[in-house]
């Protein structure tokens, strides 16, 4: 293991969007970052951005829904950067459809990546965190956890992550490990662009409609989520655990 005093963070789904922004933000915070996605090559731009700014990062390929790949990826991170102290479970996919049109495969895929993936990654990373008596696990939930038409699979997965998070906080707290969830509302990403396409409206029109309904009168950006994750991943957040923080530009009820 390299002699590196930096905390090591793993960010899943780090090829683009919220994951890429979070990886870059944690690197700015002084962490060595493992940017993980299905293919290591997909994270090349994220790693390049971090290293160009003077940070340290590696790209790692793994399907987070596969236990053997998760174990191998976590081992690679520990060997190349050091034992992970921060885990951001951000990897996700959507397979939107109304319930009567939703296939078994679309249900299983979404639950597998979001919920099983977070479980496998957390189980692998917590062993290193327990040894260090320090850790931060941040799970990406969503405002869709409260219910979202055409997203029974996604809503179920994101709601499940909230219960998972609270349970991790209880189980891992005695070892100096906190667990929290960040639940974004509308954030400009490829995923929300796909939602606009599903609703048969232009992405620009979709953004304008959402902004008009949001108390702060703007749409969310990936940096808004990354800032929140940054705090929860910090040493200063050691007494914040088991919480779900909605990054939505206003209350949802």
């Amino acid at each position: 293991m390299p002699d590196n005093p930096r905390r090591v963070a793993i960010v899943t789904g780090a090829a683009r969007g919220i994951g890429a922004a979070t990886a870059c933000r944690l690197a700015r915070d002084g962490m060595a970052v493992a940017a993980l996605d299905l293919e290591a090559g997909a994270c090349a731009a994220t790693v390049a951005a971090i290293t160009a700014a003077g940070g340290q990062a590696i790209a790692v390929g793994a399907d987070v829904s596969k236990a053997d790949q998760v174990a191998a990826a976590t081992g690679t991170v520990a060997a190349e950067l050091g034992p992970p102290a921060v885990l951001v479970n951000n990897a996700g996919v959507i397979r939107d459809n109304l319930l009567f049109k939703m296939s078994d495969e679309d249900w299983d895929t979404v639950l597998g990546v979001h919920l099983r993936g977070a479980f496998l990654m957390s189980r692998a990373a917590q062993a290193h965190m327990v040894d260090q008596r320090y850790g931060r696990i941040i799970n990406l939930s969503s405002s869709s956890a409260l219910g979202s038409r055409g997203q029974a699979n996604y809503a179920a997965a994101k709601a499940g992550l909230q219960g998972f998070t609270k349970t991790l906080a209880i189980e891992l707290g005695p070892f100096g490990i906190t667990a929290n969830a960040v639940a974004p509302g509308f954030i400009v990403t490829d995923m929300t662009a796909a939602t606009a396409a599903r609703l048969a409206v232009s992405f620009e029109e979709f953004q304008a409609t959402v902004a008009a309904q949001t108390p702060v009168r703007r749409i969310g950006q990936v940096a808004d989520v990354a800032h929140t994750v940054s705090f929860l991943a910090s040493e200063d957040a050691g007494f914040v655990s088991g919480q779900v923080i909605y990054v939505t530009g206003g209350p949802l009820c």
Side-chain angles (χ1 to χ4, degrees), residues 178-189:
T178 65
N180 292 285
V182 176
F186 182 94
I187 304 294
V188 178
T189 64

Side-chain angles (χ1 to χ4, degrees), residues 20 23 27 43 64 83 90 105 113 134 156 170-171 199 208-209 218 231:
C43 293
V64 297
N90 167 74
E105 181 181 2
V113 175
Y134 179 92
I170 294 167
E171 292 187 6
L199 297 174
T209 299
R218 71 171 177 87
F231 168 67

Side-chain angles (χ1 to χ4, degrees), residues 10-200:
I10 300 175
V11 180
T12 70
R16 60 185 183 274
I18 290 172
T22 298
C24 290
R25 176 54 194 263
L26 295 183
R28 280 170 46 201
D29 293 342
M31 298 183 194
V33 178
L36 187 149
D37 216 288
L38 270 174
E39 301 291 337
C43 293
T46 303
V47 171
I50 291 171
T51 55
Q56 182 181 13
I58 62 171
V60 181
D63 180 343
V64 297
S65 70
K66 306 295 185 184
D68 57 340
Q69 294 187 36
V70 165
T74 306
T76 296
V77 174
E80 296 190 20
L81 294 179
V86 174
L87 170 65
V88 182
N89 284 310
N90 167 74
V93 296
I94 55 171
R95 297 289 188 274
D96 294 351
N97 225 326
L98 294 174
L99 180 63
F100 75 98
K101 295 180 179 179
M102 187 172 290
S103 67
D104 294 356
E105 181 181 2
D106 286 349
W107 175 272
D108 291 343
T109 296
V110 171
L111 270 290
V113 175
H114 290 271
L115 203 49
R116 178 178 169 83
F119 157 65
L120 292 174
M121 288 298 305
S122 297
R123 186 177 65 179
Q126 62 85 33
H128 297 280
M129 296 176 185
V130 168
D131 286 344
Q132 297 172 82
R133 307 295 294 188
Y134 179 92
R136 301 283 186 265
I137 297 174
I138 301 103
N139 297 315
L140 267 294
S141 181
S142 169
S143 60
S144 294
L146 303 176
S148 180
R149 178 179 171 83
Q151 291 190 311
N153 48 5
Y154 186 76
K158 292 305 193 182
L161 277 171
Q162 295 189 14
F164 177 64
T165 298
K166 292 176 182 292
T167 301
L168 292 187
I170 294 167
E171 292 187 6
L172 300 177
F175 302 98
I177 302 167
T178 65
N180 292 285
V182 176
F186 182 94
I187 304 294
V188 178
T189 64
D190 291 345
M191 190 175 289
T192 49
T195 299
R198 175 174 61 86
L199 297 174

Side-chain angles (χ1 to χ4, degrees), residues 201-219:
V201 298
S202 74
F203 196 31
E204 291 73 18
E205 179 185 353
F206 193 32
Q207 292 179 59
T209 299
V210 172
Q213 297 171 348
T214 302
V216 299
R217 293 298 187 270
R218 71 171 177 87
I219 52 178

